[in-house]
Amino acid sequence: MGRQDWEERFAAGRGFRGVDAHEMRLFKRAVRPRAGARLLDVGCGLGAYAAALAGLGCRTLAVDWAEAAVAAVRDRYADLEPLLSVRRLNFEEATDLPPGGFDIVTMRLVLAFMTDKAAVAERVRGLLAPRGVWVVTTPLTERLPEERRSIGVTAEDVAVVTDGWGRGQWYDLEAGGLRCFVLRS
């Protein structure tokens, strides 16, 4: 999908999978975020996940390359400021994020759409503070029907993004569903 497709999708209020208490319990168990942790949510879409993360007490910067998504987050979650802030940003091209500036970086349902996954992993490493955590939530290509495989990541993609991390683990949100990778620097 191109940027205009995303703009139209988000302007129409169409997001993706909702966030539920089960997902947030698994996140808290795996990541153990502390109140005040600096968090970057890449590809925030309509902001439900970013809002849930801010609800955990994380100082969350939500970014998306679609202006319609950013506007929706501002409108829907203004009451979460200053814990939740949002800005338009193409993560793959951004150069103005602070090195070592985040304790946690999340990418929920977005990695498959990134063009250079090795470069993305390297950029995330540079953004994380010591002992920082990268959480990637994504469908796996092999679990998807043929017509939906473009929204998943391949085994090769997983190998590229998980290589070189100090520690890592994964969990599934449900059997045969989305996989969450928790990678620690």
Side-chain angles (χ1 to χ4, degrees), residues 20-38:
D20 61 19
H22 173 69
E23 181 174 359
M24 295 314 296
R25 270 193 309 277
L26 292 173
F27 177 89
K28 287 191 297 189
R29 185 180 312 146
V31 177
R32 301 193 188 289
R34 62 176 172 70
R38 299 162 300 160

Side-chain angles (χ1 to χ4, degrees), residues 9 12 18 22-23 28 31 52 54 71 87 112-115 123 135 141 150-151 154 158 174:
R9 179 181 189 85
H22 173 69
E23 181 174 359
K28 287 191 297 189
V31 177
R87 69 182 257 222
F113 303 103
M114 301 280 186
T115 55
R123 175 161 293 177
V135 181
T141 301
S150 65
I151 67 166
T154 66
V158 170
E174 70 273 333

Side-chain angles (χ1 to χ4, degrees), residues 78-159:
D79 60 322
L80 290 177
E81 289 181 12
L83 275 180
L84 176 62
S85 59
V86 62
R87 69 182 257 222
R88 189 183 121 29
L89 179 91
N90 181 338
F91 182 76
E92 290 183 283
E93 297 175 2
T95 59
D96 62 339
L97 292 169
F102 300 96
D103 303 302
I104 304 166
V105 174
T106 60
M107 290 185 181
R108 185 179 185 268
L109 306 176
V110 71
L111 184 63
F113 303 103
M114 301 280 186
T115 55
D116 185 343
K117 292 165 183 59
V120 167
E122 194 58 36
R123 175 161 293 177
V124 170
R125 271 189 200 90
L127 293 172
L128 286 172
R131 295 179 303 284
V133 182
W134 183 23
V135 181
V136 177
T137 305
T138 186
L140 302 175
T141 301
E142 71 230 22
R143 293 180 173 184
L144 295 169
E146 186 69 36
E147 67 275 4
R148 298 192 68 224
R149 291 202 168 168
S150 65
I151 67 166
V153 296
T154 66
E156 293 80 18
D157 294 334
V158 170

